[in-house]
Amino acid sequence: MTALSHAQETKGDVKAGEKKIAMCIGCHGIPGYQASFPEIHKVPMISGQSGAYIASALDAYRKGDRKHPTMRGIADSLTDQDIADVAAYYAQHGKAGAAELPAKPKREPSVQVAELLKKGACVSCHGDNFAKPIDPSYPHIAGQHADYLFVALKSYKAEKNANVGRSNAIMAGVAKQFTNAELKALANYLGSLEGDMHTVPQSRFR
């Protein structure tokens, strides 16, 4: 069994996860909080995100498949059980009524973006509304911060950089088809859609 599958298959406990998020809330628990690496962008919303995706992402940071010094340091400190618990904690924060998200986005893409979505075959993995992926280890992307999506998409194009980049053959193949301007157009559209993720402010920051 690979480390990834073991991390994903470990059963998470929400209550245990609540006690293990001290390193997460400083960024992900502050609405609108911005990171400055590798460029200024809002940190992603993870409350309501798929638990399997969160586990997969943390394991990728831990293994170095995702390069980000801060996230690597945090992930390195987590066991498989810690990852499962943290993922379970954030996954249970879906927005009320999120199950009633439309089957397809209410906001139609521009002709240009529609062509880009078709070229990238985005719906084939992330779902027609980009909030119901075909595999739980794939992320919900509808409504995610557009500037973060842009940075994330560009990271799949990065090569030979010790601190930036994501190793995912499928996403690399998709992202490398597009210019950065096209990736930004995709990110802006996806970020404008109704989604099921949000930021849950932590009481200690209120």
Side-chain angles (χ1 to χ4, degrees), residues 10-199:
T10 302
K11 184 174 177 57
D13 181 270
V14 172
K15 289 295 184 183
E18 189 174 8
K19 300 175 183 178
K20 298 178 179 181
I21 60 168
M23 291 183 291
C24 310
I25 58 179
C27 294
H28 296 285
I30 303 176
Y33 185 80
Q34 291 185 317
S36 58
F37 179 86
E39 60 192 72
I40 296 174
H41 64 88
K42 294 184 181 69
V43 298
M45 293 178 281
I46 57 175
S47 290
Q49 180 61 272
S50 162
Y53 168 71
I54 294 174
S56 174
L58 285 171
D59 193 62
Y61 284 119
R62 186 170 60 175
K63 293 193 301 183
D65 289 341
R66 286 190 176 195
K67 299 173 185 177
H68 188 290
T70 302
M71 286 303 304
R72 177 69 185 271
I74 290 172
D76 273 345
S77 72
L78 303 174
T79 65
D80 286 343
Q81 188 62 60
D82 293 334
I83 287 176
D85 292 342
V86 168
Y89 173 77
Y90 281 108
Q92 52 99 29
H93 281 153
K95 285 183 180 178
E100 288 79 49
L101 283 175
K104 290 189 176 183
K106 294 178 181 177
R107 180 173 180 175
E108 291 289 332
S110 67
V111 173
Q112 178 211 15
V113 170
E115 286 299 316
L116 297 177
L117 291 168
K118 182 179 179 181
K119 181 178 179 180
C122 304
V123 300
S124 65
C125 288
H126 297 285
D128 287 335
N129 66 357
F130 306 101
K132 193 175 182 180
I134 62 170
D135 186 292
S137 67
Y138 299 164
H140 300 197
I141 54 177
Q144 183 59 271
H145 297 308
D147 53 358
Y148 164 74
L149 289 174
F150 181 45
V151 168
L153 286 168
K154 286 191 296 181
S155 73
Y156 290 109
K157 297 171 66 177
E159 296 179 348
K160 298 180 181 179
N161 187 313
N163 296 311
V164 177
R166 296 186 179 189
S167 299
N168 181 297
I170 295 174
M171 282 303 303
V174 171
K176 288 176 181 178
Q177 299 179 85
F178 302 113
T179 66
N180 285 349
E182 289 172 331
L183 291 179
K184 190 168 188 176
L186 281 168
N188 286 342
Y189 172 68
L190 294 168
S192 73
L193 302 179
E194 183 179 0
D196 48 7
M197 296 174 293
H198 56 139
T199 299

